[in-house]
Amino acid sequence: TAALSGTIPTARLGTGTASGSTFLAGDQTYKTAGVSTFANLTDTTVSGSDPTPTSNKTPVGHIWVNSTSGEAYILTDATSNQNDWENIGEGTGNIKYFAGLTKLVMIGGGGGGASDMSGSGGAGGLLSFTGYKGTIQYGTQYTITIGSAGQPQSSSSGPGSNGGNTTAFGETAGGGFGGAASGGSGGGGNAGGGDSGSASTSTSASLYTSFNGYSNTGGANLGNPGAGGAGAGGNGFAGNNNQSGNGPGGVAGPGIQISNIYNGSSSFYWAGGGGGAGYGSDENGGAGGIGGGGGGGIFRTSGSGTGGAGGGFALNNGTAGTGNNAAGNGGAAGANTGSGGGGSSHQGGGETSARGGPGGSGIAMIVTPDSYTTATTTGSPVFTNTGGYKYYSFINSGSIIFNL
């Protein structure tokens, strides 16, 4: 056999592309010689953002580089969706898994009462979580917006206004519907007690331990008396004992009791509906729902009828309805209870200025273990540290940062 001489074509040595960055492996294929960038390593990530506790990587020791800020992190706990990342650059801010809130309760603002026996306000939607994690991270500022109180109708006829939404951590507790408001039980602005606000979550069930949402239906006006608004604990009812004809105002839907949520010692009820207005001077207004609902008004003051009592056992009790030919004929709901305002009486016979009551503003209440570092807040929430837990009750809009 003749001796080989000259250059052997690369294609005769193996398959693939021969170049300055490849080598011929033992299986006669050309392979890339090493890696050209840090991002190509198997135990590194280069991204335009920081990692999160759900940035699942393995093994411990995985390095993450933020190509925007230049910060670098190393994985110190690789538990799925509970990752801890330690900042190893010159900056600060470790990224640690947030184990969750002990409790989170949010209530939207309550709806205002309608005029002329058209209906009382519905309570705000109520969201109640235990073990809520959501997408909360340490060191991040979260805005908390408290739903405003729905206002009563200012004219002699027409619906009350809806309450505002309470929002936090991507969750929304909807504002309650005003009496006779479009979308309430009357529908399309027809007479009826307001429905509760929305009370659902889009958060995955894996990110909380338990969840309950409370939203109900206001009563329909079957006759002259005003219907009761929905509460977190049940539906409102039509006037005259939930039947047609003249009679007392409709019973409001009750609120629900939640213990050890506001300050660690109270057992208040929350989010009662507004009471419906009675028809005649001898007919009583409907009582506001327990938990702060406003009482229903009555027509004139000459008869034996009385305004409906305000809902009690609340952070702030609702006020009773009256026979006054003025604003406040329907009782006001308690502030920061998310309850509905009372409806106002019939217009006519010299009583043309009676108006319904406003709903109650919303609230957001957060409970953490005492072992958690005290959070940084704005908005002056009511803070209590007792019994192994820390309580943050937002009665005004503000913000919260959970600190490591």
Side-chain angles (χ1 to χ4, degrees):
T1 303
L4 295 175
S5 62
T7 302
I8 301 174
T10 56
R12 297 184 62 185
L13 299 176
T15 59
T17 301
S19 71
S21 61
T22 60
F23 68 96
L24 182 63
D27 60 358
Q28 291 186 293
T29 61
Y30 289 99
K31 300 184 183 297
T32 300
V35 295
S36 58
T37 67
F38 190 71
N40 288 332
L41 295 172
T42 60
D43 56 355
T44 62
T45 297
V46 177
S47 171
S49 59
D50 289 341
T52 71
T54 57
S55 298
N56 296 320
K57 299 293 181 181
T58 56
V60 167
H62 188 97
I63 294 175
W64 184 295
V65 176
N66 184 328
S67 59
T68 301
S69 66
E71 297 291 338
Y73 302 85
I74 188 168
L75 182 63
T76 59
D77 186 332
T79 303
S80 179
N81 294 323
Q82 300 179 17
N83 300 283
D84 291 342
W85 296 87
E86 182 177 346
N87 191 312
I88 56 175
E90 292 185 354
T92 61
N94 297 334
I95 297 170
K96 184 176 176 62
Y97 167 70
F98 184 78
L101 307 175
T102 304
K103 295 179 184 179
L104 169 64
V105 172
M106 299 166 52
I107 309 173
S115 292
D116 200 14
M117 297 187 304
S118 295
S120 55
L126 191 154
L127 280 61
S128 179
F129 295 91
T130 64
Y132 184 85
K133 305 178 186 67
T135 57
I136 297 174
Q137 296 184 35
Y138 286 107
T140 299
Q141 185 178 55
Y142 295 95
T143 298
I144 296 176
T145 301
I146 302 304
S148 58
Q151 296 303 303
Q153 172 57 240
S154 59
S155 300
S156 60
S157 64
S161 66
N162 299 341
N165 296 340
T166 292
T167 61
F169 312 120
E171 303 290 348
T172 299
F177 287 91
S182 178
S185 65
N190 294 326
D195 285 353
S196 300
S198 60
S200 60
T201 178
S202 59
T203 298
S204 168
S206 65
L207 297 176
Y208 55 79
T209 302
S210 68
F211 167 72
N212 288 291
Y214 299 90
S215 180
N216 292 295
T217 302
N221 276 6
L222 302 179
N224 282 317
N235 298 333
F237 291 89
N240 195 31
N241 301 311
N242 210 39
Q243 56 190 351
S244 62
N246 299 330
V251 175
I256 63 168
Q257 186 178 34
I258 305 176
S259 299
N260 300 328
I261 183 66
Y262 178 75
N263 59 9
S265 60
S266 62
S267 296
F268 295 131
Y269 283 76
W270 303 91
Y279 174 66
S281 59
D282 294 321
E283 305 291 354
N284 297 333
I290 188 172
I298 59 169
F299 183 67
R300 295 188 306 211
T301 58
S302 60
S304 61
T306 60
F313 298 97
L315 172 65
N316 295 295
N317 293 339
T319 62
T322 72
N324 297 339
N325 184 27
N329 179 276
N336 297 115
T337 64
S339 297
S344 84
S345 70
H346 173 58
Q347 304 288 302
E351 185 151 312
T352 58
S353 299
R355 301 291 183 265
S361 49
I363 193 168
M365 295 171 283
I366 298 166
V367 184
T368 69
D370 184 43
S371 58
Y372 284 25
T373 301
T374 300
T376 301
T377 61
T378 64
S380 301
V382 177
F383 175 71
T384 310
N385 188 349
T386 183
Y389 297 96
K390 293 177 179 176
Y391 298 81
Y392 306 84
S393 293
F394 284 82
I395 59 177
N396 303 301
S397 297
S399 65
I400 190 166
I401 300 172
F402 298 102
N403 300 309
L404 281 169

